[in-house]
Amino acid sequence: MTATSTQSTAEFTAELSDWLDANLPKGWGTRGFKLPKDPNERRDFIRELQRQMAADRWIAIHWPAEFGGRGATMDQQIAYHAELARRGVPRPLGHIGLNLCGPTIIRHGTDAQRERFLRPMLDGDEIWCEGFSEPGAGSDLAGLRTRGRIEGDELVITGQKTWNTGGHYSQWMFALVRTDPDAPKHQGLSFVLLPMDSPGITVRPIERIDRGHDINDVFLDDVRVPLSNVVGPLNSGWQVTRTTLNHERYTQFLASQIGFRRTLDNVAELAKRTNVLGKRPADRPDVRSALARKWIASELIRLHGLRNIASVQSSGEPGPEGAIMKVFGQEQEKELYELAVDVSGALGLLDRGADSAQDRGKWVYGYLRSRASTIAGGTSEIQRNVIAERVLKMPRDPWVKQ
Amino acid sequence: MEFRLSDEQVALCASVRKLLAARAPARTVFESDSIDAARTLWGQLSDAGLSTLGLDLPDLDLESSAIEQMLVAEELGRAAAPTPYIGLEAATLILSRSELPAAADLLGRALDGHIVVAALPAAYGGTVGVKASEEATGSVLHGEVLLVPGATWANTVLIIAEAEGSVRVYALDIDQAGCTVTPAPSIDPGSGLAAVTLDGAAAVPVLVDDADKSIHDAVLLATLLAAAESTGIAYTALHMAADYARTREQFGHPIGSFQAIKHKLADMVVDVENSRSACYGAAWKLRDGAEDAETFVHMAKAVAAEGGTHVAAQALQIHGGIGCTFEHPIHLYLRRAKANQLLYGDTPEHLESLAVEFLATEREHTR
């Protein structure tokens, strides 16, 4: 997305701040104010706020102005995320659509597709999920086998998608399917939009390691969508996807840094509050240096992000910081939760339900859940290949098939 | 903090890089005329403006800050150059804080290439071990500073001494009677480590009032510059290893195509960028006079010094057998990285400083 805003960051922030003052519900940010507990009520509440924000172009500010965004500069995006985080404004519904599918439709879609899909996406009325990974295509995504057969003016899709987040509550899925099985693997794919209520779609929950559910298998059995639901030319799905995914959201780091720091503060607080067999973990030299290293990590995530932006702004090209942030950040997140369990010694093993569980077992949950940090969205091993091959120009593995 | 370098800053780095590339100075420390070679090199770097860095000099229409000092330290690290730079920057900071004519005079000489380094006990974790007494002829110093980086090449050293219950800074030329500078053989001859022993040496006070504060700031600056030098060390070691991995073939393929090597290199890239981000963070904070600048210097040193040694050691490993020879230059980088890691506070020490800070802030927070 190209930044077109001519507003100074100070003017931008002032306008945002004024808008929030005027439009956030009464009592927002005060002690007494709480979001609804019930998930459905909470969702409705967030959607109502989202509609209001979208009406005044405060949802996808990185989108061009003509599609409901603001063509925001990176400095404006940083200011935006910081201000929303400061005021505790929840993330909009359908952020996968807003960040991945929306920009793809804006860049590669037809006018009809933009007309049809962007507004409900902004308003949170239509939630999108992603259909990329398959049981046989994880790190080697381009090896995917879900088949899209052309019949007249329809695409008939059969196969299986997995690691799909939110398919059970989404209205739409954007997916990569193989439309030319004879072409080299990167050249036979198409980027297609599917209504989740289509006949032939079955969503089956996958139970996470911590027994929670937000990811699914999605089975596709002769699912028919019009060819007009293909984004970009037929068989150009890989290029279409790459331009979107390569357009890293450079401001994403802020949210992750804020989250990392909040968790770290909680771990530090735990280490000071707990008494493990007569000793306070925060007084143990190994715990102290481990906490210091995690404080460093939280600052490095922030500094890398700022340097990345400086590099994009001065050269027009992202520096190596993107892939570096990813591999560093995801490893650090996993280590942080490990530390959270370790500080309590054997008491750290106790899960919710046990009387002596630390913080009602939330660190056991975090430890298990964060195993996915170094796997989801590109394993650390793949990130390391990317760094070595793109930053240092190392040759590809001799046995990799293109 | 925006981390955008100005055109002037980019040009400064380029000129230092070019000058050093033409001289390839790293190995000269093992030659018999190493002291003269290091002094000549510093003369050239000083002529290029390095001794004026960090000073606000309206007369010369010059203003620079910790950012320029940090960037140059990284360049010196990239070349593993043997220079008195860190001790000299610490010395010019101390001299520039003084109102005394002797300080102004010495600062003027330093800007002309005279090598003056600050003998900071903090460089080896020591305390002030020198006493000053006033005699009819002037100030006289007794005591020892165990390890002074750059003193091997210095013309003048700044000595921190106790005098009448307070701490002051004295300058003494090393050819004074009663002053002995003994170069110390070490893992890294390029650090120019020497012991300074004072047995009734005559010295001139150059900073009397509020010396503690200036010494503290000089230590912070030196610590950041050591971290930045390690970043440069790591950068070159990484690229030497990457160049080697791209061209060295085994089993019919460049070894860089194998993931065992590739992933090691990727982790080294992460280490280098972590070091650089940490140094940038600290330099910008120092430039802005931020309250938490000291915290960020601890962070820079903890990250970059450990990262430098790790990257240099991994780079040596990737070179295989040739990396273990004196002929191959990679050991010059490992030597300097290890020296920088243990000088100006080692990693556990800086981590503990951060822990004190982080956990204490937290305590206030929760009350």
Short mmCIF file of all heavy atoms in Angstrom, two decimals, chain B residues 250-297:
data_model
loop_
_atom_site.label_atom_id
_atom_site.label_comp_id
_atom_site.label_asym_id
_atom_site.label_seq_id
_atom_site.Cartn_x
_atom_site.Cartn_y
_atom_site.Cartn_z
N GLN B 250 32.42 -28.78 -0.80
CA GLN B 250 32.64 -30.15 -0.32
C GLN B 250 31.45 -30.96 -0.79
O GLN B 250 30.35 -30.42 -0.95
CB GLN B 250 32.73 -30.18 1.21
CG GLN B 250 34.03 -29.56 1.74
CD GLN B 250 35.25 -30.45 1.48
OE1 GLN B 250 35.58 -31.33 2.24
NE2 GLN B 250 35.93 -30.19 0.37
N PHE B 251 31.66 -32.25 -1.00
CA PHE B 251 30.60 -33.13 -1.51
C PHE B 251 30.00 -32.58 -2.80
O PHE B 251 28.83 -32.77 -3.11
CB PHE B 251 29.48 -33.33 -0.46
CG PHE B 251 29.99 -33.77 0.87
CD1 PHE B 251 30.08 -32.87 1.93
CD2 PHE B 251 30.40 -35.09 1.07
CE1 PHE B 251 30.56 -33.28 3.16
CE2 PHE B 251 30.88 -35.49 2.31
CZ PHE B 251 30.96 -34.59 3.35
N GLY B 252 30.77 -31.79 -3.55
CA GLY B 252 30.31 -31.29 -4.84
C GLY B 252 29.43 -30.05 -4.78
O GLY B 252 28.89 -29.63 -5.80
N HIS B 253 29.27 -29.46 -3.60
CA HIS B 253 28.42 -28.27 -3.47
C HIS B 253 29.08 -27.26 -2.54
O HIS B 253 29.82 -27.66 -1.64
CB HIS B 253 27.05 -28.64 -2.90
CG HIS B 253 26.26 -29.54 -3.80
ND1 HIS B 253 25.60 -29.10 -4.92
CD2 HIS B 253 26.05 -30.88 -3.74
CE1 HIS B 253 25.00 -30.13 -5.50
NE2 HIS B 253 25.26 -31.22 -4.81
N PRO B 254 28.75 -25.96 -2.73
CA PRO B 254 29.24 -24.97 -1.76
C PRO B 254 28.69 -25.32 -0.37
O PRO B 254 27.51 -25.68 -0.25
CB PRO B 254 28.62 -23.65 -2.24
CG PRO B 254 28.18 -23.88 -3.65
CD PRO B 254 27.93 -25.35 -3.79
N ILE B 255 29.54 -25.22 0.67
CA ILE B 255 29.08 -25.63 1.99
C ILE B 255 27.93 -24.73 2.48
O ILE B 255 27.13 -25.13 3.31
CB ILE B 255 30.22 -25.67 3.04
CG1 ILE B 255 30.87 -24.29 3.21
CG2 ILE B 255 31.26 -26.71 2.66
CD1 ILE B 255 31.81 -24.22 4.41
N GLY B 256 27.82 -23.53 1.93
CA GLY B 256 26.73 -22.61 2.30
C GLY B 256 25.36 -23.08 1.84
O GLY B 256 24.35 -22.51 2.25
N SER B 257 25.31 -24.10 0.98
CA SER B 257 24.00 -24.62 0.58
C SER B 257 23.47 -25.63 1.60
O SER B 257 22.31 -26.00 1.55
CB SER B 257 24.08 -25.26 -0.81
OG SER B 257 24.96 -26.36 -0.80
N PHE B 258 24.31 -26.06 2.52
CA PHE B 258 23.87 -27.03 3.53
C PHE B 258 23.27 -26.29 4.73
O PHE B 258 23.83 -25.32 5.22
CB PHE B 258 25.04 -27.90 4.00
CG PHE B 258 25.78 -28.58 2.88
CD1 PHE B 258 27.16 -28.62 2.85
CD2 PHE B 258 25.08 -29.17 1.83
CE1 PHE B 258 27.84 -29.23 1.81
CE2 PHE B 258 25.75 -29.79 0.79
CZ PHE B 258 27.14 -29.82 0.77
N GLN B 259 22.15 -26.80 5.21
CA GLN B 259 21.45 -26.08 6.27
C GLN B 259 22.25 -26.00 7.57
O GLN B 259 22.08 -25.05 8.33
CB GLN B 259 20.08 -26.69 6.53
CG GLN B 259 19.10 -26.37 5.39
CD GLN B 259 17.67 -26.75 5.71
OE1 GLN B 259 17.44 -27.62 6.52
NE2 GLN B 259 16.74 -26.10 5.04
N ALA B 260 23.12 -26.96 7.81
CA ALA B 260 23.92 -26.89 9.04
C ALA B 260 24.73 -25.60 9.06
O ALA B 260 24.91 -24.96 10.10
CB ALA B 260 24.85 -28.10 9.14
N ILE B 261 25.22 -25.19 7.89
CA ILE B 261 26.00 -23.95 7.78
C ILE B 261 25.08 -22.75 7.63
O ILE B 261 25.25 -21.71 8.26
CB ILE B 261 26.95 -24.03 6.55
CG1 ILE B 261 27.91 -25.22 6.69
CG2 ILE B 261 27.71 -22.72 6.37
CD1 ILE B 261 28.89 -25.11 7.82
N LYS B 262 24.07 -22.93 6.76
CA LYS B 262 23.14 -21.85 6.46
C LYS B 262 22.46 -21.33 7.73
O LYS B 262 22.35 -20.13 7.94
CB LYS B 262 22.08 -22.45 5.53
CG LYS B 262 21.32 -21.50 4.72
CD LYS B 262 20.43 -22.28 3.76
CE LYS B 262 21.06 -22.31 2.38
NZ LYS B 262 20.15 -22.89 1.37
N HIS B 263 22.00 -22.24 8.59
CA HIS B 263 21.28 -21.82 9.78
C HIS B 263 22.21 -21.16 10.80
O HIS B 263 21.82 -20.24 11.50
CB HIS B 263 20.51 -22.99 10.39
CG HIS B 263 19.32 -23.37 9.56
ND1 HIS B 263 18.36 -24.25 9.99
CD2 HIS B 263 18.92 -22.97 8.32
CE1 HIS B 263 17.43 -24.38 9.04
NE2 HIS B 263 17.77 -23.61 8.02
N LYS B 264 23.43 -21.65 10.86
CA LYS B 264 24.42 -20.99 11.72
C LYS B 264 24.60 -19.55 11.25
O LYS B 264 24.59 -18.61 12.05
CB LYS B 264 25.75 -21.76 11.59
CG LYS B 264 26.58 -21.83 12.86
CD LYS B 264 27.94 -22.44 12.56
CE LYS B 264 28.03 -23.92 12.84
NZ LYS B 264 27.99 -24.26 14.27
N LEU B 265 24.75 -19.38 9.94
CA LEU B 265 24.93 -18.03 9.38
C LEU B 265 23.71 -17.15 9.65
O LEU B 265 23.85 -15.97 9.98
CB LEU B 265 25.19 -18.11 7.87
CG LEU B 265 26.58 -18.62 7.47
CD1 LEU B 265 26.60 -18.99 5.99
CD2 LEU B 265 27.64 -17.57 7.76
N ALA B 266 22.51 -17.71 9.53
CA ALA B 266 21.29 -16.92 9.78
C ALA B 266 21.26 -16.45 11.23
O ALA B 266 20.93 -15.30 11.51
CB ALA B 266 20.04 -17.74 9.45
N ASP B 267 21.64 -17.34 12.14
CA ASP B 267 21.67 -16.94 13.56
C ASP B 267 22.72 -15.85 13.79
O ASP B 267 22.55 -14.97 14.64
CB ASP B 267 21.96 -18.15 14.45
CG ASP B 267 20.75 -19.07 14.56
OD1 ASP B 267 19.62 -18.60 14.31
OD2 ASP B 267 20.94 -20.26 14.88
N MET B 268 23.81 -15.90 13.02
CA MET B 268 24.83 -14.86 13.14
C MET B 268 24.29 -13.51 12.64
O MET B 268 24.60 -12.46 13.19
CB MET B 268 26.10 -15.27 12.37
CG MET B 268 26.82 -16.46 13.02
SD MET B 268 27.87 -17.40 11.87
CE MET B 268 29.21 -16.26 11.57
N VAL B 269 23.49 -13.55 11.57
CA VAL B 269 22.86 -12.32 11.09
C VAL B 269 21.98 -11.73 12.20
O VAL B 269 22.02 -10.53 12.46
CB VAL B 269 22.00 -12.59 9.83
CG1 VAL B 269 21.16 -11.36 9.47
CG2 VAL B 269 22.87 -12.99 8.65
N VAL B 270 21.22 -12.60 12.85
CA VAL B 270 20.35 -12.13 13.94
C VAL B 270 21.20 -11.49 15.04
O VAL B 270 20.89 -10.41 15.55
CB VAL B 270 19.49 -13.28 14.51
CG1 VAL B 270 18.72 -12.82 15.75
CG2 VAL B 270 18.53 -13.80 13.46
N ASP B 271 22.31 -12.14 15.41
CA ASP B 271 23.20 -11.58 16.43
C ASP B 271 23.72 -10.20 16.03
O ASP B 271 23.77 -9.28 16.84
CB ASP B 271 24.40 -12.52 16.68
CG ASP B 271 24.03 -13.68 17.60
OD1 ASP B 271 23.08 -13.54 18.38
OD2 ASP B 271 24.71 -14.72 17.52
N VAL B 272 24.16 -10.08 14.78
CA VAL B 272 24.71 -8.80 14.32
C VAL B 272 23.64 -7.71 14.37
O VAL B 272 23.88 -6.60 14.85
CB VAL B 272 25.29 -8.91 12.89
CG1 VAL B 272 25.63 -7.53 12.32
CG2 VAL B 272 26.53 -9.80 12.89
N GLU B 273 22.46 -8.03 13.89
CA GLU B 273 21.40 -7.01 13.87
C GLU B 273 20.90 -6.69 15.28
O GLU B 273 20.55 -5.54 15.55
CB GLU B 273 20.25 -7.45 12.95
CG GLU B 273 20.65 -7.55 11.49
CD GLU B 273 21.26 -6.26 10.93
OE1 GLU B 273 20.86 -5.16 11.34
OE2 GLU B 273 22.17 -6.36 10.08
N ASN B 274 20.88 -7.69 16.15
CA ASN B 274 20.55 -7.40 17.56
C ASN B 274 21.56 -6.42 18.14
O ASN B 274 21.21 -5.46 18.81
CB ASN B 274 20.57 -8.68 18.40
CG ASN B 274 19.29 -9.50 18.26
OD1 ASN B 274 18.31 -9.04 17.69
ND2 ASN B 274 19.32 -10.71 18.78
N SER B 275 22.84 -6.68 17.86
CA SER B 275 23.90 -5.81 18.39
C SER B 275 23.72 -4.39 17.86
O SER B 275 23.82 -3.41 18.59
CB SER B 275 25.28 -6.32 17.96
OG SER B 275 25.49 -7.60 18.48
N ARG B 276 23.44 -4.31 16.57
CA ARG B 276 23.34 -2.98 15.96
C ARG B 276 22.12 -2.24 16.52
O ARG B 276 22.22 -1.06 16.88
CB ARG B 276 23.27 -3.12 14.45
CG ARG B 276 23.49 -1.82 13.73
CD ARG B 276 23.63 -2.01 12.25
NE ARG B 276 24.95 -2.46 11.87
CZ ARG B 276 25.19 -3.21 10.78
NH1 ARG B 276 24.19 -3.62 10.02
NH2 ARG B 276 26.42 -3.55 10.48
N SER B 277 21.00 -2.92 16.62
CA SER B 277 19.81 -2.27 17.17
C SER B 277 20.07 -1.78 18.59
O SER B 277 19.67 -0.68 18.97
CB SER B 277 18.61 -3.23 17.17
OG SER B 277 18.09 -3.38 15.87
N ALA B 278 20.75 -2.62 19.37
CA ALA B 278 21.01 -2.25 20.77
C ALA B 278 21.93 -1.03 20.83
O ALA B 278 21.71 -0.12 21.62
CB ALA B 278 21.63 -3.43 21.51
N CYS B 279 22.97 -1.00 19.98
CA CYS B 279 23.89 0.15 19.98
C CYS B 279 23.19 1.41 19.48
O CYS B 279 23.41 2.50 20.01
CB CYS B 279 25.12 -0.15 19.11
SG CYS B 279 26.22 -1.36 19.85
N TYR B 280 22.39 1.27 18.45
CA TYR B 280 21.65 2.43 17.94
C TYR B 280 20.74 2.97 19.05
O TYR B 280 20.69 4.18 19.29
CB TYR B 280 20.79 2.07 16.72
CG TYR B 280 21.53 2.08 15.40
CD1 TYR B 280 22.86 1.70 15.32
CD2 TYR B 280 20.89 2.47 14.23
CE1 TYR B 280 23.54 1.70 14.11
CE2 TYR B 280 21.56 2.49 13.00
CZ TYR B 280 22.88 2.09 12.95
OH TYR B 280 23.54 2.09 11.76
N GLY B 281 20.02 2.06 19.71
CA GLY B 281 19.12 2.47 20.78
C GLY B 281 19.86 3.29 21.83
O GLY B 281 19.42 4.36 22.23
N ALA B 282 21.04 2.79 22.24
CA ALA B 282 21.80 3.48 23.30
C ALA B 282 22.37 4.80 22.80
O ALA B 282 22.36 5.80 23.52
CB ALA B 282 22.92 2.57 23.79
N ALA B 283 22.88 4.83 21.57
CA ALA B 283 23.50 6.06 21.06
C ALA B 283 22.46 7.17 20.93
O ALA B 283 22.73 8.33 21.27
CB ALA B 283 24.17 5.79 19.71
N TRP B 284 21.28 6.81 20.45
CA TRP B 284 20.24 7.83 20.30
C TRP B 284 19.82 8.36 21.67
O TRP B 284 19.58 9.54 21.86
CB TRP B 284 19.05 7.27 19.52
CG TRP B 284 19.01 7.74 18.09
CD1 TRP B 284 18.24 8.76 17.60
CD2 TRP B 284 19.75 7.23 16.96
NE1 TRP B 284 18.47 8.90 16.24
CE2 TRP B 284 19.38 7.99 15.83
CE3 TRP B 284 20.71 6.21 16.81
CZ2 TRP B 284 19.91 7.76 14.56
CZ3 TRP B 284 21.24 5.98 15.56
CH2 TRP B 284 20.84 6.75 14.44
N LYS B 285 19.74 7.44 22.65
CA LYS B 285 19.38 7.86 24.01
C LYS B 285 20.44 8.79 24.59
O LYS B 285 20.12 9.79 25.22
CB LYS B 285 19.24 6.63 24.92
CG LYS B 285 18.03 5.77 24.61
CD LYS B 285 16.80 6.24 25.34
CE LYS B 285 15.65 5.27 25.13
NZ LYS B 285 14.38 5.81 25.62
N LEU B 286 21.72 8.45 24.39
CA LEU B 286 22.80 9.30 24.91
C LEU B 286 22.77 10.66 24.24
O LEU B 286 22.91 11.70 24.88
CB LEU B 286 24.17 8.65 24.66
CG LEU B 286 24.68 7.62 25.66
CD1 LEU B 286 26.09 7.18 25.28
CD2 LEU B 286 24.70 8.18 27.09
N ARG B 287 22.58 10.66 22.94
CA ARG B 287 22.53 11.92 22.19
C ARG B 287 21.42 12.82 22.74
O ARG B 287 21.59 14.03 22.90
CB ARG B 287 22.30 11.62 20.71
CG ARG B 287 22.54 12.76 19.74
CD ARG B 287 21.35 13.66 19.45
NE ARG B 287 20.11 12.98 19.19
CZ ARG B 287 19.60 12.80 17.97
NH1 ARG B 287 20.26 13.21 16.91
NH2 ARG B 287 18.42 12.21 17.82
N ASP B 288 20.28 12.20 23.04
CA ASP B 288 19.14 12.99 23.52
C ASP B 288 19.22 13.30 25.01
O ASP B 288 18.32 13.95 25.54
CB ASP B 288 17.83 12.22 23.24
CG ASP B 288 17.59 12.06 21.75
OD1 ASP B 288 18.22 12.79 20.97
OD2 ASP B 288 16.77 11.19 21.37
N GLY B 289 20.26 12.79 25.68
CA GLY B 289 20.35 13.00 27.12
C GLY B 289 19.20 12.37 27.88
O GLY B 289 18.76 12.89 28.91
N ALA B 290 18.69 11.24 27.37
CA ALA B 290 17.52 10.60 27.98
C ALA B 290 17.86 10.07 29.37
O ALA B 290 18.99 9.66 29.64
CB ALA B 290 17.04 9.45 27.09
N GLU B 291 16.86 10.07 30.23
CA GLU B 291 17.06 9.60 31.61
C GLU B 291 17.47 8.14 31.66
O GLU B 291 18.21 7.74 32.55
CB GLU B 291 15.75 9.76 32.39
CG GLU B 291 15.66 11.05 33.16
CD GLU B 291 14.37 11.12 33.96
OE1 GLU B 291 13.79 10.06 34.28
OE2 GLU B 291 13.93 12.25 34.23
N ASP B 292 16.94 7.35 30.72
CA ASP B 292 17.24 5.92 30.76
C ASP B 292 18.40 5.55 29.82
O ASP B 292 18.56 4.39 29.47
CB ASP B 292 15.99 5.10 30.42
CG ASP B 292 15.35 5.53 29.11
OD1 ASP B 292 15.81 6.53 28.51
OD2 ASP B 292 14.36 4.89 28.69
N ALA B 293 19.22 6.52 29.46
CA ALA B 293 20.34 6.24 28.55
C ALA B 293 21.26 5.16 29.13
O ALA B 293 21.71 4.27 28.42
CB ALA B 293 21.12 7.52 28.27
N GLU B 294 21.49 5.25 30.44
CA GLU B 294 22.42 4.29 31.07
C GLU B 294 21.90 2.86 30.92
O GLU B 294 22.66 1.94 30.64
CB GLU B 294 22.59 4.66 32.55
CG GLU B 294 23.58 3.77 33.26
CD GLU B 294 24.01 4.33 34.62
OE1 GLU B 294 23.64 5.47 34.95
OE2 GLU B 294 24.71 3.60 35.33
N THR B 295 20.60 2.69 31.10
CA THR B 295 19.98 1.37 30.94
C THR B 295 20.27 0.82 29.55
O THR B 295 20.61 -0.35 29.38
CB THR B 295 18.45 1.49 31.13
OG1 THR B 295 18.21 2.15 32.36
CG2 THR B 295 17.80 0.14 31.13
N PHE B 296 20.15 1.69 28.57
CA PHE B 296 20.34 1.23 27.20
C PHE B 296 21.80 0.95 26.88
O PHE B 296 22.10 0.13 26.02
CB PHE B 296 19.71 2.23 26.22
CG PHE B 296 18.23 2.02 26.09
CD1 PHE B 296 17.36 2.48 27.06
CD2 PHE B 296 17.70 1.31 25.02
CE1 PHE B 296 16.00 2.25 26.98
CE2 PHE B 296 16.34 1.06 24.92
CZ PHE B 296 15.48 1.54 25.90
N VAL B 297 22.71 1.62 27.60
CA VAL B 297 24.13 1.29 27.42
C VAL B 297 24.40 -0.11 28.00
O VAL B 297 25.11 -0.92 27.40
CB VAL B 297 25.04 2.35 28.06
CG1 VAL B 297 26.50 1.88 28.07
CG2 VAL B 297 24.91 3.68 27.32
#
